Amino acid sequence: APGVYQLASLLVELDTSDEASRILCADALYQMGHVEEAHKLLLLALSRNPQRSPILARLALLQLKKGFTYDGNQLLKKVIRIGDTSCLLPIMDIFKDEDRKLMQTHCHLRALTILKG
């Protein structure tokens, strides 16, 4: 993760509009345990493109990880409204096991609540 972060940081410096490198930086920061820095980087990327599902999904996980269930739900709802949920499965490979389980459990429980309602 540190090497990926360094490479992605260099790519961002070369092209500040490169969203993929910015997301790669955030993923590397997350993997290194720098959740707050990853969160800030994703918020910056989101400010440039507020309809990007991969960014929203990553932010949703970080909000759930911090215990901000409402915020995480709102971000996941936005991903669903956009209609690009294809980003969720590849992102699950990036998440640490405990966070993957957190996201899966949360989504499962929300789906059950919706179905019961």
Side-chain angles (χ1 to χ4, degrees):
V4 171
Y5 174 72
Q6 289 175 342
L7 177 62
S9 294
L10 287 173
L11 291 171
V12 169
E13 285 181 31
L14 292 173
D15 182 3
T16 57
S17 66
D18 184 10
E19 185 177 285
S21 296
R22 201 172 296 281
I23 291 172
L24 190 58
C25 268
D27 288 347
L29 286 167
Y30 161 79
Q31 285 293 325
M32 294 185 304
H34 302 288
V35 175
E36 285 303 318
E37 292 173 44
H39 188 258
K40 289 176 187 175
L41 198 55
L42 289 169
L43 286 175
L44 178 62
L46 188 65
S47 71
R48 294 176 180 198
N49 190 351
Q51 298 298 314
R52 287 286 293 150
S53 293
I55 298 168
L56 293 167
R58 284 169 171 84
L59 281 170
L61 169 74
L62 296 180
Q63 293 297 66
L64 293 173
K65 187 172 177 66
K66 292 179 184 180
F68 299 133
T69 306
Y70 178 80
D71 295 334
N73 282 340
Q74 295 306 309
L75 291 165
L76 288 172
K77 284 180 186 178
K78 195 168 186 178
V79 170
I80 292 166
R81 270 189 242 119
I82 291 169
D84 182 16
T85 57
S86 63
C87 67
L88 291 173
L89 195 54
I91 290 172
M92 294 301 267
D93 291 336
I94 296 166
F95 294 164
K96 295 177 182 176
D97 287 338
E98 65 200 40
D99 295 334
R100 185 178 311 120
K101 186 69 177 164
L102 172 70
M103 180 70 100
Q104 289 171 335
T105 302
H106 177 76
C107 289
H108 180 75
L109 292 174
R110 288 295 303 147
L112 287 176
T113 302
I114 291 168
L115 289 173
K116 288 178 183 175

